[in-house]
Amino acid sequence: MVLFGLNNKINNNRTIKFSLDLGLPDAECLVVSPARLVVKHGDPASSNCSSDTPVEMGWEATQGGVGLTDNKVKFLRWRVDSVTDWKIKPTCFTEGGQCQKQLNITVYKLPDRVSISYRKYPDPMVEGDQYLLQCLVQNIAPIGRLRVTFYKVSATGEQTELDTQHKSKDNINTPQNGTFTLDFTPGRDDDGAQLLCSAMLDLGPEGPQPPPVMDSNRLNINVHYKPQITMSPGCFSMSITEGGPFIGCSAKVDYLPIFAGLAAAVVVILLVISCFTYSSYYKHRRMGHYQLKDMLPRRHKNKHVVHHNGMDQSFM
């Protein structure tokens, strides 16, 4: 249904605009099929414009444009062998522009390269410190459909998603570079793992299925961390964890410190015993029992006993 506006002047010199319904059938409106196209840059593209009743129609486009037909037709095809215009907007129209339909077309380009790196290279990487990862997606279009995911791959091959980011949707159609960052704090379990980022261009159901994905290079993680020292019961050795738990005892034991300790203990014990024995013997010699006869002078046969002051005295 088409409405035409007519201007009419009245006595007060004011202009009034009003519309008249001419009663044109809905069949006058055009139908574009497919109504939406997702085309890789440089690939061919085409779409049909149709009407229920014959009309004069044409295609207005920067590539593959078709002028207004001389005769009334029910359909008109738009086609281009290689889409190179990033902002192409083909539009089907009828005579006088009474009805027109625009083809919704998205021109895309996969990235030239996806790379991951550290904003500042860690030398060395230490457990618990924070590092800034950077994912660079080069020359991709449209960047508003780009989604970037950071991954960690363990030493056993298990892949873990760290974060997913995307640019705000905008009207930028030409190829752009996209930079995405992520803070990463390694742990000792990350030693030997790898980091990467993946760029996916999500173009909707009309785009390629599954959505195209390009992975970056991989960063090897070497984490420096303090060792864990544990004592195993009944063992003389210590277990030091490096890159994973170690359970068990060393096959080599150093007995020299043990023998030295035992020898020192024996020497101390012998010294204590010697001192105790000497002390006991010396005390016995100084404070032992003596017989009285041993304290008196010995008598001999040729002695002469002389009494002097009531006491006997012997002379040789």
Side-chain angles (χ1 to χ4, degrees):
M1 183 177 297
V2 181
L3 299 178
F4 292 92
L6 299 178
N7 293 333
N8 187 25
K9 291 185 178 180
I10 58 177
N11 294 333
N12 57 4
N13 294 324
R14 289 185 303 169
T15 301
I16 298 177
K17 183 177 181 180
F18 59 94
S19 299
L20 295 178
D21 185 354
L22 300 183
L24 295 179
D26 291 340
E28 286 292 327
C29 287
L30 303 173
V31 176
V32 173
S33 179
R36 185 175 188 273
L37 284 179
V38 176
V39 182
K40 186 177 181 180
H41 187 265
D43 282 0
S46 65
S47 183
N48 287 325
C49 182
S50 62
S51 173
D52 288 342
T53 59
V55 292
E56 295 178 5
M57 67 177 69
W59 279 96
E60 181 181 0
T62 55
Q63 286 185 267
V66 180
L68 192 67
T69 59
D70 295 333
N71 301 321
K72 293 183 178 181
V73 295
K74 282 191 173 183
F75 68 91
L76 184 65
R77 189 182 188 190
W78 171 81
R79 174 179 170 78
V80 62
D81 293 332
S82 176
V83 177
T84 57
D85 183 7
W86 297 100
K87 300 179 181 180
I88 191 170
K89 296 179 179 180
T91 303
C92 181
F93 64 94
T94 62
E95 181 183 7
Q98 296 178 4
C99 188
Q100 58 183 14
K101 289 289 183 178
Q102 187 180 66
L103 171 62
N104 186 347
I105 182 169
T106 300
V107 183
Y108 74 92
K109 178 186 178 301
L110 299 180
D112 292 339
R113 184 169 180 262
V114 180
S115 60
I116 187 172
S117 61
Y118 297 105
R119 180 66 65 88
K120 183 180 179 182
Y121 186 76
D123 188 21
M125 179 176 281
V126 180
E127 177 188 19
D129 289 353
Q130 191 176 78
Y131 303 93
L132 187 62
L133 296 174
Q134 176 177 282
C135 183
L136 176 61
V137 183
Q138 295 178 317
N139 208 26
I140 188 172
I143 196 169
R145 299 299 186 94
L146 173 63
R147 187 168 66 184
V148 168
T149 303
F150 289 86
Y151 292 99
K152 178 179 68 176
V153 181
S154 67
T156 59
E158 182 180 359
Q159 183 168 290
T160 304
E161 180 179 328
L162 300 177
D163 189 36
T164 297
Q165 305 174 14
H166 58 85
K167 293 289 186 181
S168 59
K169 292 185 178 181
D170 48 38
N171 296 323
I172 300 177
N173 300 317
T174 56
Q176 304 288 323
N177 292 336
T179 302
F180 302 81
T181 59
L182 177 68
D183 289 327
F184 176 68
T185 303
R188 63 184 59 207
D189 294 337
D190 295 327
D191 187 49
Q194 293 179 321
L195 296 172
L196 74 150
C197 63
S198 179
M200 183 179 72
L201 199 57
D202 188 2
L203 299 168
E206 293 84 5
Q209 299 297 326
V213 175
M214 180 179 289
D215 290 342
S216 70
N217 56 303
R218 297 193 176 195
L219 294 177
N220 295 321
I221 306 176
N222 296 313
V223 184
H224 288 208
Y225 55 89
K226 296 179 180 179
Q228 291 180 338
I229 302 176
T230 58
M231 288 295 295
S232 299
C235 299
F236 293 102
S237 64
M238 291 181 293
S239 300
I240 300 178
T241 301
E242 180 179 355
F246 174 78
I247 303 175
C249 300
S250 173
K252 298 179 181 180
V253 179
D254 188 2
Y255 293 99
L256 181 60
I258 300 175
F259 291 150
L262 292 175
V266 171
V267 170
V268 171
I269 293 172
L270 291 177
L271 288 175
V272 171
I273 294 175
S274 299
C275 291
F276 178 78
T277 303
Y278 177 77
S279 176
S280 298
Y281 176 77
Y282 181 77
K283 182 177 180 180
H284 178 76
R285 294 289 296 172
R286 293 289 303 272
M287 302 180 63
H289 297 283
Y290 299 92
Q291 295 182 0
L292 183 60
K293 65 179 181 178
D294 293 333
M295 299 298 296
L296 296 176
R298 294 181 180 180
R299 294 180 178 180
H300 299 277
K301 292 180 179 182
N302 55 351
K303 286 182 180 179
H304 297 281
V305 180
V306 179
H307 293 276
H308 181 73
N309 296 329
M311 296 183 62
D312 292 335
Q313 293 183 351
S314 299
F315 298 93
M316 295 296 296

